[in-house]
Amino acid sequence: MSSRKKMMQLAQSVIFVSDSSKALYEEKYGLLTSERLRVVKNALNYDLNSLLPCKHWSAFRKMGAIARVAFRIPTSSAVIISTGKFSHQKGSFAMMTGFLHGRGYKNSFKDVVFVGDVERKYWEALRNQYLELRTDARLSRQTRFHLVGSIISEKAMREYYGIANFTVLNSDCEAFGRGILESFAHGIPALARGCGGPAEIIKHGKTGFLFSTDAELMLYVNHLIDNPGIASSISRRSCHVVSMKYNSSKYMATMENLLEQVALKGPNSLMT
């Protein structure tokens, strides 16, 4: 028996960040559904009453204008922010090749900004692969890529989100998808592969779009570019969702209550 399976079976409380991750562990480790298996979905740390960017749209977009100047991105260009750690599992390189092959994107779409933690070795490999791809005459010359890496300050994060028309999470195996909540909080429509946590967070067509292929992603990108009113409606709904459902105060209250219950039962507990 693996040590993880043993811990799972002994733990008096097992906390998951999504229903899909809970189901995966139940199947993998043969866990029986019970009260000790709980789902507590992540939240954002913003003071949702005073700092939520989508409630201060004008000031937020002014911050984004700074990043557009730094990147030399014209105001007429539609921009996608790709969120999540740089890795093959997160779909970083697959997304890059997909956009380079995507000749069907609208002419107004030209810039993809990759934001997320990355190891230097992987960063250099990704950059070299990108440069090699750009020499292929068969691929689109339309798309420009900006490799940013990790963002430490909240101010810088808001500047980058401020230039985005929408965000994309291309991971094909995602337990939760915190970047989607950040997108919601900034009033930016989110697109994600329809798996795991993202499929639980995004209500397709209401607070974003779920896709399974590069062709579907291209379809939804063009749809949002062609229909700014739909993008605006999605922004309003997603902002409301993150402020009500993923409120950090509610999250902390839930966790405090759960930890109190665990403390009363005994020392064995596990979070995943």
Side-chain angles (χ1 to χ4, degrees), residues 45-59:
N45 295 326
Y46 293 122
D47 176 347
L48 295 175
N49 293 320
S50 62
L51 297 177
L52 200 64
C54 56
K55 292 184 177 180
H56 302 273
W57 188 252
S58 178

Side-chain angles (χ1 to χ4, degrees), residues 21 37 52 77 91 111 153 165 187 261:
S21 61
L37 305 182
L52 200 64
S77 176
D111 295 89
S153 74
N165 293 78
Q261 293 177 26

